Amino acid sequence: MTTEGGDEAGTTKRDRAPLATVLAANAVSITGNSLTLIGVPWFALDTTGSPGKAGIVAFCAALPVLVSAIVGGPVVDRIGRRRVSIASDLVCALALTAIPLLDSAGLLRFWMLCALMAVTGLFHAPGEMARHVLVPDLARRAGTPLPRAASLYDAVARGAWMTGAAIAGLLVAFMGADTVLVLDAATFGLSALLVTAGLRGVPSAEPVRDGPRLSPARYRADLREGYAFLFRARLLLGITVMLMVTNGLSQSWSSVLLPVHARQELGGPATQGLLVSVFGGCALAGALVYGAVGQRFPRRAVFTAGFLLGGAPPYVVAALTDTTAPLLVTLAAAGCGVGVLNPILTTVMYEQVPDALRSRVMGASTAGVLLTTPLGGLTAGFLVERAGLTATLLGIGGLYLLATLSPLVFPAWRAMDAPPPERPLERPPEDGIPAGGEPVSRPGPSTPAPAPGPSGTPPHR
């Protein structure tokens, strides 16, 4: 009896380990992202003194993310989700290490900074996507309900953002932005080590080996399949368009508007780190609360309320105050609102998109969502130099409010509360065949049926 119980316990532990590995690796990687979010704009401002050039750096970092999202979906499954995650983290670590090394040697030029940030943008997105699409399989392996796993995934990410922002603000203030970049590189290296050790032998993390070879024609067919699914689902398309607008506006906030506001009015990077940390902490609380009780409420109502609370108010308050306390309170409330968004969108996506198409549809959705992101920081930098910070904040806040009203205006959003489509009983992936028994890649392209409900990529705030 004792031996059997021990074996059962060991099995449970092994089954839960891959999900715990993905959560831990993503937390470490996102902690690094939050270091970059604060460290790079301040590094650009310190070395150039120009909000416009800080916006150019943000553009160079964001544009490759869009490119990799557009073309990367079919490649993730073929190379293997584990390998993609490891490789992306290692490349990002090397690129970020090069920035302070070149600067300390007196060799760093502005174009080099832009190029190295472009490398991190190009390689980071596939790694995060590879970990994200693993969650449903690993949750099933661990016996964890999908909504709870989605909320846990987002809560861990929010906690990582909060911790990284607090650390980054203090490090920039007391040790310089170059120190933040070195620590950021170390977090990517640690994430690669965790995935290397923790996902070894997990079938859904390995390359697909039983499908046809990835020829140019096969690649185009796989890519077309993901975009066909995206465009045939009205709600999915509506979510993508809405997040395309809001992510571009959010990028202007994180890469230019908040750093410039903190530099001019709020006392520097330590204050910015505090603001981002409070926002992330309250977003973490919002995600945890939604994971515990959110399933009792209509998704569309909660989603709309969360976006209205977390969207425009920070821009308006920042435009009207030059002190920290009002903005701190506003960002705390905004964080609580934003915290419910990712669990809703992630759960809906996992419910509606078959595993056989998940990487491709997620890549297509991410590409649409990020379409305006490269322009966010670039446009905001030049607007601040020409129209001033206050006018830019108010203008962008007004656009944000209009975008977040779309779930109340368009009927397609009502499908957010529709039950998920019925599918054959899913089973754990084996031998490269995903849950549901459908191969990831078929000999010829298929035309998926219109999705009765949405899928989408979580907003990036």
Side-chain angles (χ1 to χ4, degrees):
M1 294 288 289
T2 303
T3 303
E4 291 178 0
D7 289 343
E8 185 175 311
T11 300
T12 302
K13 184 177 180 180
R14 286 195 301 272
D15 285 343
R16 292 177 178 174
L19 179 61
T21 295
V22 166
L23 293 175
N26 213 47
V28 172
S29 181
I30 289 176
T31 299
N33 287 342
S34 65
L35 296 176
T36 301
L37 180 71
I38 292 179
V40 170
W42 279 96
F43 186 86
L45 287 171
D46 288 344
T47 56
T48 68
S50 167
K53 287 189 174 181
I56 292 174
V57 173
F59 174 82
C60 292
L63 182 61
V65 177
L66 172 62
V67 173
S68 65
I70 290 174
V71 303
V75 178
V76 170
D77 289 326
R78 298 299 187 133
I79 297 178
R81 295 162 180 175
R82 174 173 170 268
R83 292 179 181 177
V84 169
S85 179
I86 294 168
S88 68
D89 281 341
L90 290 178
V91 171
C92 290
L94 291 174
L96 287 168
T97 302
I99 295 174
L101 288 179
L102 290 171
D103 186 52
S104 63
L107 300 175
L108 185 68
R109 302 293 181 266
F110 181 69
W111 69 265
M112 296 179 185
L113 175 61
C114 293
L116 289 169
M117 289 309 300
V119 170
T120 64
L122 183 65
F123 283 88
H124 168 69
E128 188 169 335
M129 183 195 304
R131 292 187 293 270
H132 195 189
V133 298
L134 277 170
V135 171
D137 295 319
L138 301 186
R140 186 165 51 246
R141 185 184 181 103
T144 302
L146 182 55
R148 184 173 300 171
S151 295
L152 184 60
Y153 184 89
D154 188 63
V156 169
R158 297 293 187 185
W161 275 110
M162 173 185 65
T163 304
I167 294 172
L170 293 174
L171 286 177
V172 171
F174 295 106
M175 301 183 69
D178 53 348
T179 302
V180 175
L181 298 181
V182 172
L183 183 58
D184 190 0
T187 63
F188 279 112
L190 178 57
S191 175
L193 288 175
L194 288 170
V195 172
T196 300
L199 294 185
R200 189 185 305 275
V202 176
S204 57
E206 297 302 320
V208 174
R209 303 188 187 279
D210 63 340
R213 296 181 63 182
L214 187 59
S215 64
R218 179 66 258 171
Y219 175 81
R220 289 193 298 269
D222 285 352
L223 198 65
R224 186 166 56 248
E225 207 167 19
Y227 281 91
F229 194 103
L230 175 68
F231 281 101
R232 287 171 177 267
R234 289 190 304 160
L235 180 56
L236 173 57
L237 191 59
I239 289 174
T240 302
V241 171
M242 176 183 175
L243 298 186
M244 178 181 67
V245 175
T246 59
N247 276 357
L249 300 177
S250 295
Q251 178 72 7
S252 71
W253 171 263
S254 61
S255 62
V256 175
L257 298 179
L258 182 57
V260 171
H261 188 50
R263 183 177 181 140
Q264 292 182 358
E265 307 289 351
L266 304 179
T271 302
Q272 182 188 352
L274 173 65
L275 292 171
V276 176
S277 181
V278 168
F279 177 88
C282 292
L284 167 62
L288 291 174
V289 169
Y290 183 82
V293 302
Q295 301 173 52
R296 304 175 188 175
F297 302 97
R299 289 173 179 171
R300 184 170 71 115
V302 175
F303 179 84
T304 304
F307 241 135
L308 288 173
L309 185 62
Y315 298 85
V316 176
V317 173
L320 300 179
T321 183
D322 57 358
T323 57
T324 302
L327 189 55
L328 191 67
V329 173
T330 304
L331 284 172
C336 291
V338 167
V340 307
L341 303 181
N342 285 7
I344 292 174
L345 292 176
T346 301
T347 301
V348 170
M349 184 193 73
Y350 289 154
E351 287 177 350
Q352 301 296 333
V353 181
D355 182 74
L357 294 173
R358 195 169 291 143
S359 293
R360 279 168 276 173
V361 174
M362 185 174 176
S365 178
T366 302
V369 164
L370 298 180
L371 193 60
T372 62
T373 302
L375 300 176
L378 182 67
T379 303
F382 287 106
L383 284 176
V384 168
E385 290 190 343
R386 285 160 175 75
L389 180 61
T390 299
T392 303
L393 285 166
L394 289 175
I396 292 178
L399 290 175
Y400 214 125
L401 176 61
L402 292 176
T404 53
L405 292 175
S406 60
L408 300 177
V409 176
F410 298 104
W413 285 85
R414 296 171 187 167
M416 182 171 272
D417 293 316
E422 293 185 3
R423 293 198 190 98
L425 183 63
E426 294 186 342
R427 58 181 175 79
E430 298 174 359
D431 300 326
I433 299 177
E438 187 179 0
V440 170
S441 194
R442 291 169 290 285
S446 68
T447 304
S455 81
T457 299
H460 300 273
R461 272 295 299 270

